[in-house]
Amino acid sequence: MLRTESRAHDKLKEDTEAAALDMTATAEPPQSATCRDLFFQQCLWCGTPAYRRSFCRACGATTFKRERSTGAGVLVRRIGQAPLNTWFVAMAEGFNLLCQVTGTEPVVVAIGARVRVVRGAAPRGQGFPLVELTYRATSLERWW
């Protein structure tokens, strides 16, 4: 396929990178060894970020480069029952991640709360990544 560069695409990419930097600046996750073990993929063809995919959801390419995540994100949607405390997290890099929230009661956790990754993967790659709250969402900041 022919790859074409456009100024609009570059401008959009710069805007999303600036928004991601703004989001990480407000959450300020500490750079510890536990945050460093979360890696994501970035498509070499179009630059779309993804987490554990075999092909790019935007262009269908199968070539990725591996990037280290900052570990900052925002809770987007609860999945399943409240006792499981499983959520979709929109990460600062632009991909979504299915995680379990740890260190707090499920009743306290709300949509729009900022989180950071505590553990990227369970032993032997099983289970969900774990996240913990860094900033609770107030009633005005919730996404519903």
Side-chain angles (χ1 to χ4, degrees), residues 4-24:
T4 59
E5 297 294 328
S6 68
R7 291 184 190 173
H9 178 65
D10 292 339
K11 177 70 174 152
L12 179 63
K13 190 172 182 178
E14 289 173 6
D15 290 343
T16 56
E17 288 173 358
L21 287 175
D22 183 40
M23 183 178 176
T24 56

Side-chain angles (χ1 to χ4, degrees), residues 17-92:
E17 288 173 358
L21 287 175
D22 183 40
M23 183 178 176
T24 56
T26 56
E28 294 181 16
Q31 294 297 325
S32 62
T34 56
C35 287
R36 290 189 207 136
D37 57 8
L38 180 69
F39 289 93
F40 68 98
Q41 302 162 312
Q42 191 166 13
C43 178
L44 289 175
W45 184 262
C46 67
T48 303
Y51 183 73
R52 292 188 181 176
R53 295 199 47 114
S54 57
F55 62 92
C56 178
R57 61 184 164 81
C59 68
T62 57
T63 54
F64 295 93
K65 65 179 175 180
R66 192 173 176 186
E67 298 282 331
R68 187 179 309 267
S69 175
T70 61
V74 176
L75 295 177
V76 178
R77 191 177 91 192
R78 183 188 304 263
I79 303 295
Q81 302 290 330
L84 297 177
N85 219 2
T86 307
W87 289 78
F88 270 119
V89 177
M91 299 302 287

